[in-house]
Amino acid sequence: MRRFNIALLAALTLSTALSTAPAQAHDRTPPLGLVDCTATACHFDVPPGTYDVTVHLGAATAASTAITGETRRSLLPETPTAAGRTVTRSFTVNVRTPEGEPTGPDGTPGLDLTLGGTAPALADIRVTPAHHTRQIFLIGDSTVCDQPGDPYSGWGQQLPQFLRKGVSVANYADSGESTVTYLENPLLWGTVQPLIHPGDLVLVQLAHNDKTTDEATYRANLETLVAGIRDRGGRPVLVTPIVRRWFNADGTLNNDTALLVNGLGVDLPGVVRSVAATEGVTLIDLTAQTKALVESLGVEGSKALYLYNEKKDNTHTSAHGATVYAGLVRDALVARHLLPEDRVRVG
């Protein structure tokens, strides 16, 4: 028998609308809801696809709940509720196999959600197939991907928490990939390109591993990705790479290591900017934004964005850093009118 704590049972009486709503006409199975949950997690036996999740959060006592899912994706930021009150939140989640990095293990079939926060309390939940959903595909490397193990986190792993129902993130970023290897691997470009539908956004951030890629090849690879996305009716967005936390003596990041100038002297962010301009592609200059932020925080303050304290790692981000950088991407998408403000979670 599944177990619920007293707070959850009390909270359940506060909200029954979703649990009593009839199943959709085409769905002959019982609605997916609290019966599929324990006090700390939910598992729904659903096939790969895109699903809307609506939750009622709260309990008889004050509570604070966050929700993650699949391979450590942040789906809902920590949400406080007063004693005796519930709030309703909705989000859309992409379920796929493999559920994390495309070249990683398959993971657990179905949709898995984990309830976190300082005092989690789930009063009700409903999972239904999503319709008319806008997909954001992510093509990138380890600084973007759904990292499988703590304390690592890619900014793409944190992006879903900033989005409301109707927009989902399909993160096909993969650790260690360059533009060369991403295009060559059938599990990567060969898999994601056919999934793109007209109107989908496709964000491309590949540079960190193009350490020996010459400028002509790097440019051509970006152009190939842009053309392939457009062939499917998608909207490409080129994203310059996040900086490495590599300071000069004067407290700036004006060096090749920090700014992703590779071993052949190719200014990789510069090429991304050039291709965006030439091809008429929307650009998110995450290199410039993260450079300004890291420099403003300084040598000590910027350590928390990366895994310096844990791993002496100045390339990969902590969950905190990935969340901050995902927020920059969210802001850029809204500023460029690529996402309507009513589909974006602020704060």
Side-chain angles (χ1 to χ4, degrees):
M1 179 178 289
R2 298 187 182 276
R3 302 187 300 277
F4 296 92
N5 61 31
I6 294 175
L8 291 175
L9 289 172
L12 181 57
T13 65
L14 297 174
S15 174
T16 59
L18 286 176
S19 61
T20 58
Q24 295 192 16
H26 66 275
D27 186 4
R28 300 178 181 178
T29 60
L32 299 173
L34 278 176
V35 68
D36 301 291
C37 301
T38 68
T40 58
C42 302
H43 174 74
F44 304 98
D45 291 322
V46 296
T50 306
Y51 295 88
D52 291 332
V53 180
T54 299
V55 295
H56 283 193
L57 305 175
T61 57
S64 189
T65 310
I67 299 178
T68 58
E70 299 295 89
T71 303
R72 303 175 62 240
R73 299 180 217 160
S74 293
L75 300 173
L76 188 71
E78 187 152 0
T79 304
T81 48
R85 302 282 185 177
T86 60
V87 299
T88 302
R89 297 288 185 268
S90 298
F91 54 87
T92 302
V93 60
N94 172 254
V95 177
R96 60 184 183 270
T97 303
E99 68 178 33
E101 295 180 86
T103 61
D106 284 353
T108 304
L111 171 60
D112 288 284
L113 303 176
T114 300
L115 307 176
T118 55
L122 178 65
D124 204 353
I125 186 169
R126 175 58 53 87
V127 176
T128 57
H131 302 288
H132 310 297
T133 295
R134 190 171 192 183
Q135 200 88 275
I136 300 177
F137 287 93
L138 302 181
I139 291 173
D141 52 37
S142 59
T143 65
V144 185
C145 75
D146 288 348
Q147 288 279 0
D150 185 66
Y152 292 88
S153 182
W155 61 256
Q157 200 164 21
Q158 301 297 331
L159 185 60
Q161 67 180 297
F162 292 110
L163 305 174
R164 299 180 187 273
K165 178 183 174 182
V167 182
S168 70
V169 175
N171 191 350
Y172 282 84
D174 196 71
S175 293
E177 305 300 341
S178 66
T179 57
V180 176
T181 61
Y182 202 95
L183 285 167
E184 289 177 344
N185 193 331
L187 296 176
L188 299 172
W189 180 236
T191 294
V192 67
Q193 188 195 19
L195 299 176
I196 300 169
H197 289 92
D200 286 338
L201 294 176
V202 186
L203 277 58
V204 179
Q205 187 216 276
L206 285 168
H208 277 273
N209 299 301
D210 280 279
K211 300 173 183 177
T212 59
T213 308
D214 64 80
E215 181 171 345
T217 301
Y218 186 63
R219 181 181 296 273
N221 288 344
L222 292 175
E223 291 170 346
T224 296
L225 289 165
V226 167
I229 293 165
R230 285 174 166 166
D231 285 346
R232 296 289 302 173
R235 183 163 185 177
V237 179
L238 292 180
V239 183
T240 59
I242 66 169
V243 294
R244 293 190 178 100
R245 184 188 162 277
W246 202 271
F247 283 93
N248 295 327
D250 63 0
T252 67
L253 299 179
N254 295 317
N255 60 75
D256 290 356
T257 300
L259 299 183
L260 283 299
V261 177
N262 75 8
L264 300 180
V266 180
D267 178 358
L268 299 171
V271 176
V272 176
R273 297 181 189 111
S274 175
V275 171
T278 301
E279 298 293 323
V281 175
T282 299
L283 175 73
I284 296 178
D285 198 342
L286 207 52
T287 304
Q289 290 181 289
T290 55
K291 176 180 184 294
L293 177 59
V294 170
E295 287 181 342
S296 71
L297 292 172
V299 174
E300 290 301 318
S302 62
K303 288 179 178 179
L305 295 174
Y306 292 82
L307 293 175
Y308 180 85
N309 294 324
E310 300 85 351
K311 303 285 186 178
K312 296 295 186 289
D313 187 334
N314 291 308
T315 297
H316 297 98
T317 49
S318 63
H320 166 65
T323 301
V324 172
Y325 290 173
L328 295 177
V329 174
R330 179 265 323 261
D331 293 345
L333 292 174
V334 172
R336 288 154 179 77
H337 306 291
L338 296 176
L339 286 178
E341 292 187 21
D342 64 352
R343 288 291 180 263
V344 176
R345 204 180 307 279
V346 182

Coordinates of all heavy atoms in Angstrom, one line a residue, residues 43-100:
H43 N 5.4 8.0 -9.8 CA 5.8 7.2 -11.1 C 4.6 7.0 -11.9 O 3.6 6.4 -11.4 CB 6.5 5.9 -10.7 CG 6.7 5.1 -12.0 ND1 7.8 5.4 -12.9 CD2 6.1 4.0 -12.5 CE1 7.7 4.6 -13.9 NE2 6.7 3.7 -13.7
F44 N 4.6 7.4 -13.2 CA 3.5 7.2 -14.1 C 3.9 6.3 -15.2 O 4.9 6.6 -15.9 CB 3.0 8.6 -14.6 CG 2.6 9.5 -13.5 CD1 3.5 10.5 -13.0 CD2 1.4 9.4 -12.8 CE1 3.2 11.3 -12.0 CE2 1.0 10.2 -11.8 CZ 1.9 11.2 -11.4
D45 N 3.2 5.2 -15.5 CA 3.6 4.3 -16.6 C 3.0 4.9 -17.9 O 1.9 4.5 -18.3 CB 3.0 2.9 -16.3 CG 3.7 2.2 -15.1 OD1 4.9 2.4 -15.0 OD2 3.0 1.6 -14.3
V46 N 3.8 5.8 -18.5 CA 3.4 6.4 -19.7 C 4.5 6.1 -20.8 O 5.6 6.0 -20.5 CB 3.1 7.9 -19.6 CG1 1.9 8.1 -18.6 CG2 4.4 8.6 -19.1
P47 N 4.1 6.1 -22.1 CA 5.1 5.9 -23.1 C 5.8 7.3 -23.4 O 5.4 8.3 -22.9 CB 4.3 5.5 -24.3 CG 2.9 6.1 -24.1 CD 2.7 6.1 -22.6
P48 N 6.9 7.2 -24.1 CA 7.6 8.5 -24.4 C 6.6 9.5 -25.1 O 5.7 9.1 -25.9 CB 8.7 8.0 -25.4 CG 9.0 6.6 -25.0 CD 7.7 6.1 -24.6
G49 N 6.8 10.7 -24.8 CA 5.9 11.7 -25.3 C 6.0 13.0 -24.5 O 6.9 13.2 -23.7
T50 N 5.0 13.9 -24.6 CA 5.0 15.1 -23.9 C 3.8 15.2 -23.1 O 2.7 14.9 -23.6 CB 5.1 16.3 -24.9 OG1 6.2 16.2 -25.7 CG2 5.3 17.6 -24.1
Y51 N 3.9 15.6 -21.8 CA 2.8 15.5 -20.9 C 2.6 16.8 -20.1 O 3.6 17.4 -19.7 CB 3.0 14.3 -19.9 CG 3.0 13.0 -20.6 CD1 4.1 12.4 -21.1 CD2 1.8 12.3 -20.8 CE1 4.1 11.2 -21.8 CE2 1.8 11.1 -21.5 CZ 2.9 10.6 -22.0 OH 2.9 9.4 -22.7
D52 N 1.4 17.1 -19.9 CA 1.0 18.2 -19.0 C 0.9 17.7 -17.6 O 0.2 16.7 -17.4 CB -0.2 18.9 -19.4 CG -0.1 19.7 -20.7 OD1 1.0 20.1 -21.0 OD2 -1.1 19.9 -21.4
V53 N 1.5 18.4 -16.6 CA 1.3 18.0 -15.2 C 0.8 19.2 -14.4 O 1.3 20.3 -14.5 CB 2.7 17.6 -14.6 CG1 2.6 17.3 -13.1 CG2 3.4 16.5 -15.4
T54 N -0.3 19.0 -13.7 CA -0.9 20.0 -12.9 C -0.9 19.5 -11.4 O -1.3 18.4 -11.2 CB -2.4 20.3 -13.3 OG1 -2.4 20.8 -14.6 CG2 -3.0 21.3 -12.4
V55 N -0.4 20.3 -10.6 CA -0.3 19.9 -9.2 C -1.0 20.9 -8.3 O -1.0 22.1 -8.6 CB 1.2 19.8 -8.7 CG1 1.9 18.6 -9.5 CG2 2.0 21.1 -8.9
H56 N -1.5 20.4 -7.2 CA -2.0 21.3 -6.1 C -1.0 21.0 -4.9 O -0.8 19.9 -4.5 CB -3.4 20.9 -5.7 CG -4.5 21.4 -6.6 ND1 -5.8 21.4 -6.3 CD2 -4.4 21.9 -7.9 CE1 -6.5 22.0 -7.3 NE2 -5.6 22.3 -8.2
L57 N -0.4 22.1 -4.5 CA 0.6 22.0 -3.4 C 0.0 22.6 -2.1 O -0.6 23.7 -2.2 CB 1.9 22.7 -3.8 CG 2.5 22.3 -5.1 CD1 3.7 23.2 -5.4 CD2 2.9 20.8 -5.1
G58 N 0.3 22.0 -1.0 CA -0.1 22.5 0.3 C -0.6 21.5 1.2 O -0.7 20.3 0.9
A59 N -0.8 21.9 2.5 CA -1.1 21.0 3.6 C -1.8 21.8 4.7 O -1.9 23.0 4.6 CB 0.1 20.2 4.1
A60 N -2.2 21.0 5.7 CA -2.8 21.7 6.9 C -1.8 22.6 7.6 O -2.1 23.6 8.3 CB -3.3 20.6 7.9
T61 N -0.5 22.3 7.5 CA 0.6 23.1 8.0 C 1.3 23.8 6.9 O 1.2 23.4 5.7 CB 1.5 22.2 8.8 OG1 2.1 21.2 8.0 CG2 0.8 21.6 10.0
A62 N 2.1 24.8 7.2 CA 2.9 25.5 6.2 C 3.8 24.5 5.5 O 4.4 23.6 6.1 CB 3.7 26.6 6.8
A63 N 4.0 24.7 4.2 CA 4.8 23.7 3.4 C 5.6 24.5 2.4 O 5.4 25.7 2.1 CB 3.9 22.7 2.7
S64 N 6.5 23.8 1.8 CA 7.3 24.4 0.7 C 7.8 23.2 -0.2 O 8.6 22.4 0.3 CB 8.5 25.2 1.3 OG 9.2 25.9 0.2
T65 N 7.4 23.2 -1.5 CA 7.6 22.1 -2.3 C 8.3 22.5 -3.6 O 8.0 23.5 -4.3 CB 6.2 21.5 -2.7 OG1 5.5 21.3 -1.5 CG2 6.4 20.1 -3.4
A66 N 9.3 21.7 -4.0 CA 9.9 21.8 -5.3 C 9.7 20.4 -6.0 O 9.6 19.4 -5.4 CB 11.4 22.1 -5.2
I67 N 9.8 20.4 -7.4 CA 9.6 19.2 -8.1 C 10.7 19.0 -9.1 O 10.9 20.0 -9.9 CB 8.2 19.1 -8.8 CG1 7.1 19.2 -7.8 CG2 8.1 17.8 -9.6 CD1 5.7 19.2 -8.4
T68 N 11.3 17.9 -9.1 CA 12.3 17.5 -10.2 C 11.8 16.3 -10.9 O 10.8 15.6 -10.3 CB 13.7 17.3 -9.6 OG1 13.6 16.2 -8.6 CG2 14.3 18.5 -9.0
G69 N 12.3 16.0 -12.0 CA 11.8 14.8 -12.7 C 12.8 14.2 -13.6 O 13.8 14.8 -14.0
E70 N 12.6 12.9 -14.0 CA 13.5 12.2 -14.9 C 14.9 12.3 -14.5 O 15.2 12.0 -13.3 CB 13.3 12.7 -16.3 CG 11.8 12.6 -16.9 CD 11.4 11.1 -17.0 OE1 10.9 10.5 -16.0 OE2 11.6 10.5 -18.1
T71 N 15.8 12.7 -15.3 CA 17.2 12.7 -14.9 C 17.5 14.1 -14.3 O 18.1 15.0 -14.9 CB 18.2 12.5 -16.1 OG1 17.9 11.2 -16.6 CG2 19.6 12.4 -15.6
R72 N 17.1 14.3 -13.1 CA 17.4 15.5 -12.2 C 17.0 16.8 -12.9 O 17.6 17.8 -12.7 CB 18.9 15.5 -11.9 CG 19.4 14.2 -11.2 CD 20.9 14.2 -11.0 NE 21.3 15.3 -10.1 CZ 22.2 16.2 -10.5 NH1 22.7 16.2 -11.8 NH2 22.5 17.2 -9.7
R73 N 16.0 16.8 -13.7 CA 15.5 18.1 -14.3 C 14.7 18.9 -13.3 O 13.8 18.3 -12.6 CB 14.6 17.8 -15.5 CG 15.3 17.1 -16.6 CD 14.3 16.9 -17.8 NE 14.5 15.6 -18.4 CZ 13.5 15.0 -19.1 NH1 12.4 15.6 -19.3 NH2 13.8 13.8 -19.7
S74 N 15.0 20.2 -13.2 CA 14.2 21.0 -12.3 C 12.9 21.5 -13.1 O 13.0 22.2 -14.0 CB 15.0 22.2 -11.9 OG 16.1 21.9 -11.1
L75 N 11.8 21.0 -12.6 CA 10.5 21.2 -13.3 C 9.7 22.3 -12.6 O 8.9 23.0 -13.3 CB 9.7 19.9 -13.4 CG 10.4 18.8 -14.1 CD1 9.6 17.5 -14.0 CD2 10.6 19.2 -15.6
L76 N 9.8 22.5 -11.3 CA 9.1 23.5 -10.6 C 9.9 24.0 -9.4 O 10.4 23.2 -8.6 CB 7.8 22.9 -10.0 CG 6.8 23.9 -9.4 CD1 6.2 24.8 -10.5 CD2 5.7 23.2 -8.6
P77 N 10.2 25.3 -9.4 CA 11.0 25.8 -8.3 C 10.3 25.7 -6.9 O 9.1 25.5 -6.9 CB 11.2 27.3 -8.7 CG 10.0 27.6 -9.5 CD 9.7 26.4 -10.3
E78 N 11.0 25.8 -5.9 CA 10.4 25.7 -4.5 C 9.3 26.7 -4.4 O 9.5 27.9 -4.6 CB 11.5 25.8 -3.4 CG 11.0 25.6 -2.1 CD 12.0 25.0 -1.1 OE1 13.2 24.9 -1.5 OE2 11.7 24.8 0.0
T79 N 8.2 26.2 -4.0 CA 6.9 27.0 -3.9 C 6.4 26.9 -2.5 O 5.9 25.8 -2.1 CB 5.9 26.5 -4.9 OG1 6.5 26.5 -6.2 CG2 4.7 27.3 -4.9
P80 N 6.4 28.0 -1.7 CA 5.8 28.0 -0.3 C 4.3 28.0 -0.3 O 3.7 28.6 -1.2 CB 6.4 29.2 0.3 CG 6.7 30.1 -0.8 CD 7.0 29.3 -2.0
T81 N 3.7 27.4 0.6 CA 2.2 27.5 0.8 C 2.0 27.7 2.3 O 2.6 27.1 3.2 CB 1.5 26.2 0.4 OG1 2.2 25.0 0.9 CG2 1.5 26.1 -1.2
A82 N 1.0 28.5 2.6 CA 0.6 28.8 4.0 C -0.2 27.6 4.6 O -0.8 26.8 3.8 CB -0.2 30.1 4.1
A83 N -0.3 27.6 5.9 CA -1.0 26.5 6.5 C -2.5 26.5 6.1 O -3.1 27.6 6.0 CB -0.9 26.7 8.0
G84 N -3.0 25.4 5.7 CA -4.4 25.3 5.3 C -4.7 25.8 3.9 O -5.9 25.9 3.5
R85 N -3.7 26.1 3.1 CA -3.9 26.7 1.8 C -3.2 25.8 0.7 O -2.2 25.1 1.0 CB -3.2 28.1 1.7 CG -3.8 29.1 2.7 CD -5.1 29.6 2.2 NE -5.6 30.6 3.1 CZ -6.8 31.3 2.8 NH1 -7.5 31.0 1.8 NH2 -7.2 32.2 3.7
T86 N -3.8 25.8 -0.5 CA -3.1 25.1 -1.6 C -2.9 26.1 -2.7 O -3.7 27.1 -2.8 CB -3.9 23.9 -2.1 OG1 -5.2 24.4 -2.5 CG2 -4.1 22.9 -1.0
V87 N -1.9 25.9 -3.6 CA -1.7 26.6 -4.8 C -1.7 25.6 -5.9 O -1.3 24.4 -5.7 CB -0.5 27.5 -4.7 CG1 -0.5 28.5 -3.6 CG2 0.8 26.6 -4.6
T88 N -2.0 26.1 -7.1 CA -2.0 25.2 -8.3 C -0.9 25.7 -9.2 O -0.8 26.9 -9.5 CB -3.3 25.3 -9.0 OG1 -4.4 24.8 -8.1 CG2 -3.3 24.3 -10.2
R89 N -0.1 24.7 -9.7 CA 0.9 25.0 -10.6 C 0.9 24.0 -11.7 O 0.5 22.8 -11.5 CB 2.3 25.0 -10.0 CG 2.5 26.1 -8.9 CD 2.7 27.5 -9.5 NE 3.0 28.5 -8.5 CZ 2.1 29.2 -7.9 NH1 0.8 29.0 -8.1 NH2 2.4 30.1 -7.0
S90 N 1.3 24.4 -13.0 CA 1.3 23.4 -14.1 C 2.6 23.6 -14.9 O 3.1 24.7 -15.0 CB 0.1 23.7 -15.0 OG -1.2 23.5 -14.3
F91 N 3.0 22.5 -15.5 CA 4.2 22.5 -16.3 C 4.1 21.4 -17.3 O 3.2 20.5 -17.2 CB 5.5 22.4 -15.5 CG 5.5 21.2 -14.6 CD1 6.0 20.0 -15.0 CD2 5.2 21.3 -13.3 CE1 6.1 18.9 -14.2 CE2 5.2 20.3 -12.4 CZ 5.7 19.0 -12.8
T92 N 4.9 21.4 -18.3 CA 4.9 20.4 -19.4 C 6.2 19.7 -19.4 O 7.2 20.4 -19.3 CB 4.5 21.0 -20.7 OG1 3.2 21.6 -20.7 CG2 4.5 19.9 -21.8
V93 N 6.2 18.4 -19.5 CA 7.5 17.7 -19.4 C 7.6 16.7 -20.6 O 6.7 16.1 -21.0 CB 7.6 16.9 -18.1 CG1 6.5 15.9 -17.9 CG2 8.9 16.2 -17.9
N94 N 8.9 16.6 -21.1 CA 9.2 15.7 -22.2 C 9.7 14.4 -21.6 O 10.6 14.4 -20.8 CB 10.3 16.4 -23.0 CG 10.9 15.5 -24.1 OD1 12.0 15.0 -24.0 ND2 10.1 15.2 -25.1
V95 N 9.1 13.3 -22.0 CA 9.5 12.0 -21.6 C 10.1 11.3 -22.8 O 9.4 11.2 -23.9 CB 8.3 11.2 -21.1 CG1 8.7 9.8 -20.7 CG2 7.7 11.9 -19.8
R96 N 11.3 10.8 -22.7 CA 12.0 10.2 -23.8 C 12.9 9.1 -23.3 O 13.2 8.9 -22.1 CB 12.8 11.2 -24.6 CG 13.9 11.9 -23.7 CD 14.6 13.0 -24.4 NE 15.7 13.6 -23.6 CZ 15.5 14.6 -22.8 NH1 14.3 15.2 -22.7 NH2 16.5 15.1 -22.1
T97 N 13.4 8.3 -24.3 CA 14.4 7.3 -24.0 C 15.5 7.4 -25.0 O 15.3 7.4 -26.2 CB 13.8 5.9 -24.2 OG1 12.6 5.7 -23.3 CG2 14.8 4.8 -23.8
P98 N 16.8 7.6 -24.4 CA 17.2 7.7 -23.0 C 16.6 9.0 -22.4 O 16.4 10.0 -23.1 CB 18.7 7.8 -23.1 CG 19.1 7.2 -24.4 CD 18.0 7.6 -25.3
E99 N 16.3 8.9 -21.1 CA 15.7 10.0 -20.5 C 16.6 11.2 -20.1 O 16.1 12.3 -19.9 CB 15.0 9.6 -19.2 CG 15.9 9.2 -18.0 CD 15.2 8.8 -16.8 OE1 14.1 8.2 -16.9 OE2 15.7 9.0 -15.7
G100 N 17.9 10.9 -20.2 CA 18.9 12.0 -19.9 C 19.7 12.3 -21.2 O 19.2 12.6 -22.2

